[in-house]
Amino acid sequence: KQEVTQIPAALSVPEGENLVLNCSFTDSAIYNLQWFRQDPGKGLTSLLLIQSSQREQTSGRLNASLDKSSGRSTLYIAASQPGDSATYLCAFAPPNAGNMLTFGGGTRLMVKP
Amino acid sequence: DAGVIQSPRHEVTEMGQEVTLRCKPISGHDYLFWYRQTMMRGLELLIYFNNNVPIDDSGMPEDRFSAKMPNASFSTLKIQPSEPRDSAVYFCASTLGANYGYTFGSGTRLTVV
């Protein structure tokens, strides 16, 4: 069974820092990897999608990479801002589980002004 | 597109009552998923549909839970009878398929007292 682990579980940084959120998975066979953001009491907002043939995707200050051989993905946030404070979740769609997404536990990020 | 639409946003009900949650996926998306989120367990997949047909319901906790998708634009998740341990946020999501991103609704926060 695919397992997804996100480290750290919580992170607090001062505004302006560059930071990296980590996601690891046990099965390297995946369809795609997706990073989501969830604000308290809200739904999930898709940030970046990396398809299985890709290695990274960028959107503004966000960059996500995928290394299937090592079973890892990272989300890089440049020049963090207080508005980045949220929970960040990674999720995989393994080919042997239909199209179901398997989620990590998330990283709660707090960016202090 | 208005995205994935869920209703109601909040539901408070008494133990033993029937609860029906509703979801309208994005038009043209062939896959629809129901997830449940709690602090203890994070995001759990309950059931998903492909072309209105239930594909995997192994995540449905027990017979009190049932889901239907009578057409491509509507799905329901029903709990009968509801119990306090069913209190959670229930999300609906849809996607075109394996190599596409998933879009989540805003969720229904269910409280069973």
Side-chain angles (χ1 to χ4, degrees), chain A residues 26-49:
Chain A
T26 55
D27 187 348
S28 62
I30 62 172
Y31 275 139
N32 64 53
L33 144 72
Q34 198 164 1
W35 281 92
F36 294 89
R37 167 186 172 138
Q38 186 174 29
D39 293 283
K42 304 290 187 181
L44 280 71
T45 301
S46 179
L47 297 174
L48 291 165
L49 168 69

Side-chain angles (χ1 to χ4, degrees), chain A residues 31-32 34 36 38 40-44 46 49 51-52 89 93 97-104, chain B residues 9 31 33 35 37 43 45 48 56 58 91 95 97-107 109:
Chain A
Y31 275 139
N32 64 53
Q34 198 164 1
F36 294 89
Q38 186 174 29
K42 304 290 187 181
L44 280 71
S46 179
L49 168 69
Q51 296 183 348
S52 60
L89 298 124
N99 290 292
M100 299 185 295
L101 278 179
T102 301
F103 281 87
Chain B
R9 290 297 306 276
Y31 294 85
F33 305 81
Y35 282 86
Q37 186 177 41
L43 273 159
L45 177 69
Y48 83 95
D56 189 328
S58 59
F91 288 104
T95 183
N99 268 322
Y100 297 87
Y102 294 68
T103 302
F104 279 73
S106 298
R109 181 174 297 277

Side-chain angles (χ1 to χ4, degrees), chain B residues 84-104:
Chain B
R85 60 194 169 115
D86 301 331
S87 297
V89 181
Y90 291 80
F91 288 104
C92 176
S94 70
T95 183
L96 278 169
N99 268 322
Y100 297 87
Y102 294 68
T103 302
F104 279 73

Side-chain angles (χ1 to χ4, degrees), chain A residues 21-112:
Chain A
L21 307 182
N22 295 295
C23 179
S24 63
F25 48 99
T26 55
D27 187 348
S28 62
I30 62 172
Y31 275 139
N32 64 53
L33 144 72
Q34 198 164 1
W35 281 92
F36 294 89
R37 167 186 172 138
Q38 186 174 29
D39 293 283
K42 304 290 187 181
L44 280 71
T45 301
S46 179
L47 297 174
L48 291 165
L49 168 69
I50 306 178
Q51 296 183 348
S52 60
S53 60
Q54 299 171 326
R55 293 185 64 91
E56 67 176 337
Q57 284 288 329
T58 298
S59 176
R61 295 181 295 108
L62 305 180
N63 174 274
S65 66
L66 173 62
D67 184 344
K68 292 192 288 183
S69 62
S70 65
R72 290 185 176 182
S73 175
T74 60
L75 178 66
Y76 176 81
I77 303 177
S80 58
Q81 303 171 356
D84 295 330
S85 299
T87 296
Y88 291 81
L89 298 124
C90 68
F92 295 89
N96 60 345
N99 290 292
M100 299 185 295
L101 278 179
T102 301
F103 281 87
T107 294
R108 292 191 312 279
L109 173 65
M110 171 76 73
V111 181
K112 296 175 288 186

